[in-house]
Amino acid sequence: MFEIVNKETVGPNVTRYEIKAPRVAKSRLCGQFAIVRGLEHSERIPLTIADVNTKTGTITLIVQTVGKSTLEMSKLKKGDSFCDVAGPLGQPSHIAKYGTVAVIGGGLGTAVVYPQAVALREAGNKIISIIGARTKELVILEELLGSTSDKLIVITDDGSSGKKGLVTDALRELVENPQTKVDAVYCAGPVIMMKAVAELTRPMNIPTIVSLNPVMVDGTGMCGGCRVTIDGKRKFACVDGPEFDGHKVDFNELMDRLKTYKGHENKKYEEHKCELLKGNT
Amino acid sequence: MSSEPKKMTAKERMAIPRQQMPQRDGIERSRDFKEVNLGLAEQVAIREAQRCLQCKNPKCVEGCPVGIDIPGFAKLVAEGDFLAAAELVRRDNDLPAVTGRVCPQEIQCEACCVRCKSEAPVAVGWLERFVADYQMQKQKTEDRGQKAEVKKTGKKVACIGSGPAGITCAGQLAKLGYDVTIFEAFHKAGGVLVYGIPEFRMPKKIVDAEIRNLKALGVNIETNVIVGRTVTIPQLMNDEKFEAVFIAVGAGLPEFMNIPGENFKGVYSANEYLTRANLMEAYNPESDTPIIRGKRVCVIGGGNTAMDAVRTSKRLGADESIIVYRRSRKEMPARVEEVHHAEEETIRFEMLTAPLEVLGDKEGWVAGLKCIRMQLGEPDASGRRRPVPIPGSEFVIDCDLVIVAIGIGANPLLTKTTPGLKLNKWGYIEADENLMTSIPGVFAGGDIVRGSATVILAMGDGKKAAQNIHKYLSQ
Ligand SMILES: Cc1cc2nc3c(=O)[nH]c(=O)nc-3n(C[C@H](O)[C@H](O)[C@H](O)COP(=O)(O)OP(=O)(O)OC[C@H]3O[C@@H](n4cnc5c(N)ncnc54)[C@H](O)[C@@H]3O)c2cc1C
Ligand SMILES: Cc1cc2nc3c(=O)[nH]c(=O)nc-3n(C[C@H](O)[C@H](O)[C@H](O)COP(=O)(O)OP(=O)(O)OC[C@H]3O[C@@H](n4cnc5c(N)ncnc54)[C@H](O)[C@@H]3O)c2cc1C
Ligand code: SF4
Ligand code: SF4
Ligand code: FES
């Protein structure tokens, strides 16, 4: 059992957990994730390890409530435990000194890029962060990411926070501005967004690292469920990734495969919301 | 309890026909996950055991990879002393309730029984299962008398992986007084026995009982530890002071066919399909893990994994479940009983058929499997006749789910993060005749050394490794 030693809300539907997992904390490198089961009957879900504290043996997870598993997790209290936490998994981020790096997080992708921003800055890069969201309420980790960036840009679809537009609009402005030279882009978020970013940087040959989020089961290369096509070759995101060269990813295929369990997920979530409501009355 | 009044003559024994294993009706059972075989009744087991001729030079024992005293335990069964029979089996085999169910007896112990010549072999597997189940019912695992007062050696050994190889090695070492920890990547111990082989063939409560027994022996089991990621072998040895390590991580790398369309929604590796169905209990409405329930399912392959997947798909509601195999029935590596059971459950077999392409619909879901008919040509390196395509024989099987069960390879996760570990050209670990690897104190066995093999061979390795680890640490 993995105790929740701290829990706080960091935005609407976004929770930050500090979990006791000493072995994971000790071995984790930036960019790696864990596979977590909140309760005994829960699905195994992948979550980026945002931070660790090797002294207390804890890891930090930043989780957006989007479906049943994450909703159930959010009902657990400080002092309760997650049933299983396995990790760290995946390849560590490729951290190098590029010069100026644009770090782009879309929606819950912000939680994924945050630790990369920290590591890239430690490696001596200038960090320009872009947080994109549909609307003001969905902008997460603004302060945290801001504190590790030289510049922070918030951009929303409806203009309710920061500029109005898409992350690609903000990125285009940056790369087309002769005063800011962007040497690399790190990006995580909805697949459609990562695809747009990669398309934008491709003609300019700006190295673009994207963090892919296929459905996973074991996270150890055993099931093949997380397969993605990179440069025409089959890769398992859980062991070969989750970060890949954005210019080589078959985004359309990933987008399509992510629809596999759509029906099931919506059903489980609705059922569960009903149950919760019933329990409250 | 009945015992033999007087010694039976060989002639009397020969006159007894092979007893039948009661099993649930094929159609009925193909819609649920309860066990297919029901086990022998006491009187039937005694009768079957009486068929054993008590050979002076028992060939059956040579056919068993761990050399169980088959005439010895058959005699005890015939005398009605089932607990003593179980103990005798356990002397050589720590998981008889498992092997009695899943060993390919028809090519091992039973294949060598002299009674094969005249009629049918003694049903060694069924008897083994019978005594193990009997013991499990009558005795708490903790009271099995195994927890002998052993002197602790004060030495720590790590077993990596909790499949049959790891379980066996850990149990043996605990009995020798070692402080043993099993590290398991998944959240549940048991290896293929819990994530691969389905409930209807290998009830989880049996594996759970064996795991409890291990714990009663003092074995420590740490789940959620992926060796190579969470901790490495050098760290276990240097920082955590494990003096020897047994690597038993299984094979665990899914093979795909590399044909077009394999990434459509509705194509699974057998590993993923069976893990979702078994370990994650996707068939149980209480479980959150989703699984695609196809209406027409094609499973590609002819081994135990393919049989388990195809029979699972039927139980998950398929109207038609089809095996697509490129050789003929004779070459199928699956246990004969499983193929037979699959047939009773109305599984369709498309033999001498090879897939060419997975077809998809507009939404990217599987819509069919394009295949070609094969004929058997010259024998290949494995001695089996090589299937060759018949030109112009292409055809399409309509289906909405395709499960690829064409074999597994060596998972590189652990081997790649263990410096100095020698591998063969396929990525499996090289071990010497004592099962020691190129790293002193690090042993390996089971599927990660042999390629995909069997439960009993993995257990045999676990036992042999334990003996050699004991020798190594006693020097
Ligand atoms: C390597 C990796 C790292 C991740 N890191 C984080 C993280 O740090 N914080 C975080 O909040 N989430 C992260 N995710 C996504 C997280 O795993 C999913 O949000 C979670 O599985 C949803 O589970 P659920 O049961 O609550 O929702 P479900 O009922 O399974 O799904 C609800 C909704 O979420 C979408 N969804 C499902 N699975 C994923 C997925 N793998 N990626 C993206 N969307 C998905 C579905 O399309 C659906 O609309 C990560 C995913 C991967 C693969
Ligand atoms: C579907 C299926 C059906 C089968 N049917 C039969 C049958 O009927 N009869 C038969 O004799 N054989 C059968 N087999 C084969 C048999 O199951 C295997 O030969 C046997 O289980 C191998 O045992 P093992 O201990 O080597 O490995 P496994 O049983 O594979 O166990 C390995 C364990 O190690 C864990 N692990 C892997 N990597 C790591 C790591 N890095 N760190 C920690 N833990 C790790 C895995 O999660 C797993 O639990 C079947 C196999 C499958 C897949
Ligand atoms: S362990 Fe397997 S091969 Fe040996 S006697 Fe039992 S069933 Fe036969
Ligand atoms: S070979 Fe057959 S008859 Fe002879 S001892 Fe073995 S099981 Fe009995
Ligand atoms: S999650 Fe199973 S192989 Fe990646």
Side-chain angles (χ1 to χ4, degrees):
Chain A
M1 297 297 261
F2 299 80
E3 197 196 327
I4 303 171
V5 294
N6 242 318
K7 180 186 171 195
E8 58 177 319
T9 305
V10 294
N13 286 327
V14 183
T15 315
R16 183 172 171 277
Y17 303 90
E18 239 176 278
I19 311 287
K20 191 124 196 132
R23 282 193 185 278
V24 184
K26 194 172 165 210
S27 306
R28 173 266 187 185
L29 297 166
C30 170
Q32 291 184 302
F33 64 95
I35 288 209
V36 180
R37 277 203 328 156
L39 305 171
E40 187 55 49
H41 60 82
S42 300
E43 229 182 305
R44 294 167 60 94
I45 63 166
L47 296 166
T48 303
I49 305 170
D51 207 350
V52 294
N53 184 332
T54 43
K55 281 202 207 76
T56 54
T58 53
I59 64 170
T60 301
L61 305 174
I62 300 171
V63 186
Q64 188 172 40
T65 304
V66 293
K68 187 176 179 197
S69 314
T70 45
L71 180 65
E72 278 182 341
M73 268 180 195
S74 71
K75 303 283 163 206
L76 296 172
K77 293 188 282 295
K78 181 176 163 178
D80 293 344
S81 291
F82 284 170
C83 201
D84 300 289
V85 176
L89 295 163
Q91 297 298 328
S93 290
H94 176 71
I95 301 298
K97 185 157 184 218
Y98 298 96
T100 300
V101 184
V103 173
I104 307 174
L108 65 86
T110 314
V112 178
V113 291
Y114 162 67
Q116 296 174 342
V118 174
L120 285 162
R121 194 177 209 202
E122 273 169 18
N125 293 289
K126 185 174 167 214
I127 307 294
I128 303 175
S129 294
I130 305 173
I131 301 180
R134 273 203 316 282
T135 185
K136 188 169 188 247
E137 280 70 42
L138 300 173
V139 175
I140 61 165
L141 306 182
E142 193 175 341
E143 261 174 57
L144 208 54
L145 192 57
S147 68
T148 192
S149 309
D150 297 272
K151 184 174 173 188
L152 176 78
I153 301 165
V154 173
I155 188 158
T156 49
D157 293 12
D158 60 2
S160 54
S161 177
K163 292 187 200 174
K164 181 171 166 35
L166 304 169
V167 294
T168 37
D169 298 332
L171 181 62
R172 185 173 296 113
E173 237 177 75
L174 280 181
V175 294
E176 283 173 358
N177 180 348
Q179 256 112 64
T180 45
K181 186 171 166 296
V182 174
D183 301 296
V185 174
Y186 280 67
C187 170
V191 182
I192 187 84
M193 179 199 102
M194 294 191 281
K195 181 183 174 192
V197 167
E199 289 314 323
L200 177 66
T201 58
R202 188 196 307 275
M204 298 168 219
N205 260 326
I206 303 174
T208 300
I209 309 287
V210 295
S211 198
L212 302 186
N213 57 351
V215 174
M216 295 185 177
V217 181
D218 56 298
T220 63
M222 186 280 267
C223 78
C226 66
R227 61 192 186 276
V228 289
T229 304
I230 310 293
D231 214 7
K233 292 190 201 68
R234 181 175 49 244
K235 297 281 175 190
F236 293 165
C238 70
V239 286
D240 302 316
E243 287 166 24
F244 292 99
D245 176 348
H247 296 150
K248 296 187 171 154
V249 174
D250 184 340
F251 288 107
N252 292 345
E253 182 185 270
L254 175 59
M255 246 181 284
D256 189 47
R257 284 181 61 78
L258 276 171
K259 292 183 198 138
T260 306
Y261 301 109
K262 263 283 189 281
H264 174 96
E265 281 156 1
N266 293 343
K267 186 160 157 274
K268 278 277 169 192
Y269 189 53
E270 290 308 320
E271 274 172 14
H272 197 64
K273 273 206 306 203
C274 295
E275 269 169 45
L276 287 172
L277 289 176
K278 262 187 253 153
N280 288 342
T281 53
Chain B
M1 210 151 278
S2 81
S3 58
E4 286 178 288
K6 62 174 185 350
K7 228 171 164 323
M8 285 176 88
T9 63
K11 201 163 163 215
E12 282 169 323
R13 293 176 189 278
M14 285 300 286
I16 309 172
R18 180 163 158 132
Q19 303 298 296
Q20 289 306 312
M21 168 68 89
Q23 60 182 48
R24 298 176 55 227
D25 172 70
I27 303 298
E28 178 202 306
R29 72 180 189 238
S30 72
R31 294 299 178 192
D32 67 42
F33 281 82
K34 288 196 258 198
E35 200 177 3
V36 170
N37 281 338
L38 295 171
L40 302 179
E42 289 180 20
Q43 288 311 317
V44 181
I46 290 172
R47 194 107 181 106
E48 182 62 31
Q50 287 169 341
R51 292 182 65 232
C52 172
L53 303 176
Q54 297 293 319
C55 306
K56 284 276 155 342
N57 176 16
K59 290 280 175 244
C60 54
V61 179
E62 287 169 31
C64 170
V66 295
I68 289 176
D69 180 357
I70 295 165
F73 98 80
K75 181 159 183 285
L76 289 166
V77 174
E79 288 164 1
D81 195 350
F82 307 136
L83 286 178
E87 276 313 317
L88 186 60
V89 173
R90 280 189 178 274
R91 208 181 62 193
D92 298 299
N93 176 345
D94 285 328
L95 305 172
V98 174
T99 51
R101 286 174 166 81
V102 305
C103 259
Q105 287 94 6
E106 69 276 7
I107 56 167
Q108 296 181 349
C109 51
E110 295 184 18
C112 301
C113 174
V114 291
R115 292 203 59 171
C116 282
K117 281 185 207 135
S118 50
E119 173 226 355
V122 173
V124 181
W126 294 348
L127 288 175
E128 191 168 298
R129 168 192 160 132
F130 169 78
V131 297
D133 287 0
Y134 182 89
Q135 187 184 37
M136 215 171 269
Q137 267 169 26
K138 298 288 161 178
Q139 285 181 336
K140 280 223 298 282
T141 45
E142 293 79 359
D143 300 341
R144 250 187 232 147
Q146 290 194 3
K147 205 184 175 182
E149 288 308 312
V150 284
K151 217 174 110 248
K152 292 274 172 218
T153 63
K155 291 182 177 165
K156 283 171 67 177
V157 181
C159 290
I160 306 172
S162 61
I167 293 176
T168 307
C169 184
Q172 296 281 332
L173 286 169
K175 288 184 215 164
L176 290 166
Y178 290 91
D179 181 358
V180 186
T181 301
I182 295 183
F183 295 101
E184 167 56 47
F186 267 130
H187 55 265
K188 193 169 191 306
V192 170
L193 305 180
V194 296
Y195 79 69
I197 305 182
E199 179 75 14
F200 57 82
R201 201 150 75 78
M202 186 66 252
K204 300 295 162 283
K205 65 173 197 286
I206 289 171
V207 187
D208 291 345
E210 293 302 341
I211 299 294
R212 278 203 309 279
N213 180 45
L214 266 189
K215 289 184 181 160
L217 284 170
V219 172
N220 177 22
I221 302 180
E222 247 196 83
T223 50
N224 296 310
V225 176
I226 303 120
V227 178
R229 285 270 196 269
T230 315
V231 65
T232 63
I233 290 179
Q235 284 171 338
L236 286 176
M237 298 185 86
N238 301 331
D239 305 346
E240 301 195 25
K241 305 292 171 223
F242 285 96
E243 294 183 48
V245 173
F246 178 54
I247 305 175
V249 293
L253 181 78
E255 305 273 14
F256 287 90
M257 298 173 291
N258 299 315
I259 60 174
E262 254 181 315
N263 290 339
F264 282 128
K265 300 190 290 291
V267 182
Y268 277 126
S269 77
N271 275 2
E272 179 178 3
Y273 185 71
L274 290 170
T275 302
R276 284 179 181 274
N278 299 321
L279 181 75
M280 305 310 296
E281 296 184 21
Y283 62 86
N284 177 355
E286 296 292 303
S287 164
D288 288 345
T289 301
I291 197 163
I292 304 167
R293 295 166 179 250
K295 280 287 155 209
R296 288 174 57 86
V297 183
C298 281
V299 177
I300 300 155
N304 285 318
T305 309
M307 290 309 134
D308 286 344
V310 81
R311 295 170 69 200
T312 297
S313 73
K314 194 89 195 174
R315 284 160 171 79
L316 288 175
D319 295 331
E320 189 162 36
S321 297
I322 306 156
I323 283 282
V324 175
Y325 182 55
R326 64 195 185 110
R327 300 179 194 255
S328 69
R329 172 78 178 254
K330 209 169 79 224
E331 284 88 15
M332 281 197 0
R335 290 180 80 225
V336 169
E337 191 183 30
E338 308 313 330
V339 180
H340 183 62
H341 281 164
E343 280 173 333
E344 289 173 349
E345 290 163 14
T346 69
I347 302 299
R348 182 173 133 199
F349 288 80
E350 287 291 347
M351 294 300 180
L352 287 164
T353 303
L356 296 175
E357 181 179 354
V358 181
L359 307 175
D361 67 11
K362 283 200 300 294
E363 261 89 59
W365 286 94
V366 169
L369 187 66
K370 188 175 167 193
C371 300
I372 189 165
R373 296 286 184 201
M374 312 290 278
Q375 60 193 2
L376 291 179
E378 296 299 308
D380 64 11
S382 72
R384 296 186 297 183
R385 289 177 63 194
R386 185 200 306 274
V388 284
I390 303 173
S393 68
E394 292 86 350
F395 70 107
V396 174
I397 306 176
D398 290 334
C399 61
D400 54 3
L401 186 63
V402 169
I403 299 165
V404 185
I406 56 169
I408 41 178
N411 189 311
L413 193 133
L414 173 133
T415 52
K416 263 196 184 162
T417 52
T418 311
L421 189 66
K422 207 163 157 218
L423 308 179
N424 69 18
K425 66 176 173 185
W426 297 282
Y428 291 98
I429 298 174
E430 276 196 5
D432 67 15
E433 69 279 9
N434 297 321
L435 296 183
M436 181 127 89
T437 67
S438 53
I439 305 174
V442 177
F443 296 73
D447 281 6
I448 190 60
V449 170
R450 297 172 174 274
S452 348
T454 58
V455 168
I456 189 67
L457 288 172
M459 289 173 55
D461 284 357
K463 189 171 178 183
K464 188 168 165 194
Q467 288 160 352
N468 287 311
I469 287 170
H470 181 46
K471 235 187 261 167
Y472 173 81
L473 292 179
S474 311
Q475 279 166 11

